Amino acid sequence: MDGKIHATVVLFVMKEAEKLLDLKRREMVETLKLYGITNRRVLDAFLEVPRHLFFDEKAVDLAYDDGAYPVGYGQTISQPYTVAFMTALLVERCPSGKLLEIGTGSGYQAAILDALGYSVFTVERIFELYEKAEKLFSRLGLNITCRYGDGTLGWMNEAPFDGIVITAGAPKEPRSLMTQLAQNGCMVVPIGDYSSQQMTVIQREGEDFQRELFQYFTFVPLVGREGWDDTVF
Ligand code: SAH
């Protein structure tokens, strides 16, 4: 095959693959609707962010299944339904402003929050994941600020936050993080034991905190000073 024809064929195959991924992404959003995610802004963000870019190339085919998937170092990219459920809780209570995510992982949840127009700060405790996500954000031109370290202590210099999302399972309410919420700010955090955690919304009202409880999920553990002990994991 001459070089020009070869290049044309490659381009055609790439375009078809891209179209298939777009189709799968739309199907994923239809599944989210069937599962009860109705918030239009959230659904639009899921249509906009190409989830497959947060996967290893060899696993791209799995990117639009409604499942969690390993991202290395014993961690996972959360199931789309879980990300959508948490995002909807946040959007409905705190529609705009400055957000802190604890547990960058693949970077997908942070990219969804960025697509929703929030100013996003995210912390990751595994250096390799932090570095990979930061590179990906800059390649995609996303204005997301990353930090490597123990997110259970929050991000003092950037506080207060209008919203905080914890994408790992906490053993108890993370007090330091709660004090970094702005007035009326809200935190979405799964709290429980190692095997399952109840999705919890904590909203700040003055020096008081109101709680709302939702269904149970299973997350990888939040490990750190105000999380699980890091000698256990
Ligand atoms: N939001 C991620 C989900 C990743 S899983 C995504 O969209 O892909 C949870 C992540 O939390 C893991 O990468 C884990 O390393 C990280 N994590 C656990 N404890 C942490 C802590 N104390 N500070 C920061 N990150 C933490």
Side-chain angles (χ1 to χ4, degrees):
M1 210 186 290
D2 92 8
K4 213 166 163 188
I5 297 177
H6 179 74
T8 312
V9 170
V10 169
L11 202 65
F12 175 77
V13 171
M14 280 169 65
K15 276 198 178 146
E16 287 305 302
E18 224 23 73
K19 271 197 225 161
L20 185 62
L21 290 167
D22 282 352
L23 180 68
K24 284 187 164 189
R25 187 156 61 251
R26 286 202 293 276
E27 283 172 2
M28 174 186 78
V29 170
E30 290 307 312
T31 306
L32 291 177
K33 285 191 206 165
L34 287 177
Y35 289 172
I37 305 293
T38 52
N39 187 292
R40 195 62 251 175
R41 281 182 68 202
V42 174
L43 295 171
D44 285 346
F46 275 76
L47 282 175
E48 185 182 325
V49 178
R51 190 168 192 261
H52 62 277
L53 298 182
F54 297 81
F55 273 60
D56 278 347
E57 249 170 64
K58 55 182 185 310
V60 157
D61 280 355
L62 300 169
Y64 295 104
D65 293 353
D66 193 40
Y69 193 82
V71 292
Y73 312 95
Q75 309 305 319
T76 51
I77 177 171
S78 304
Q79 184 183 358
Y81 173 68
T82 308
V83 179
F85 189 85
M86 296 181 89
T87 307
L89 290 176
L90 195 73
V91 164
E92 282 152 14
R93 288 159 185 78
C94 118
S96 62
K98 189 171 181 179
L99 286 193
L100 175 63
E101 180 200 27
I102 309 303
T104 317
S106 68
Y108 180 65
Q109 168 84 73
I112 290 283
L113 298 171
D114 177 78
L116 281 158
Y118 293 103
S119 161
V120 183
F121 293 75
T122 180
V123 186
E124 172 55 55
R125 70 179 278 273
I126 297 178
F127 184 76
E128 289 80 357
L129 292 177
Y130 147 79
E131 214 181 18
K132 193 171 170 193
E134 191 173 50
K135 279 194 189 131
L136 182 58
F137 295 149
S138 94
R139 184 158 68 80
L140 300 178
L142 304 182
N143 189 17
I144 295 172
T145 313
C146 303
R147 191 165 71 77
Y148 161 60
D150 176 7
T152 64
L153 303 177
W155 197 326
M156 263 319 245
N157 296 345
E158 291 294 344
F161 296 96
D162 300 296
I164 300 180
V165 189
I166 303 184
T167 64
K172 58 182 186 321
E173 289 186 357
R175 297 302 301 188
S176 293
L177 278 166
M178 285 159 67
T179 63
Q180 293 181 24
L181 278 174
Q183 284 309 328
N184 301 315
C186 80
M187 175 188 289
V188 181
V189 52
I191 302 177
D193 60 21
Y194 183 66
S195 58
S196 80
Q197 306 88 29
Q198 187 165 28
M199 197 59 76
T200 307
V201 172
I202 301 175
Q203 190 136 15
R204 182 168 195 169
E205 284 174 16
E207 289 317 303
D208 285 342
F209 295 94
Q210 303 301 329
R211 281 119 183 130
E212 293 170 88
L213 300 175
F214 298 89
Q215 68 202 60
Y216 283 82
F217 292 84
T218 299
F219 282 82
V220 296
L222 178 75
V223 178
R225 280 269 290 281
E226 293 187 29
W228 293 93
D229 188 343
D230 65 359
T231 55
V232 180
F233 301 103

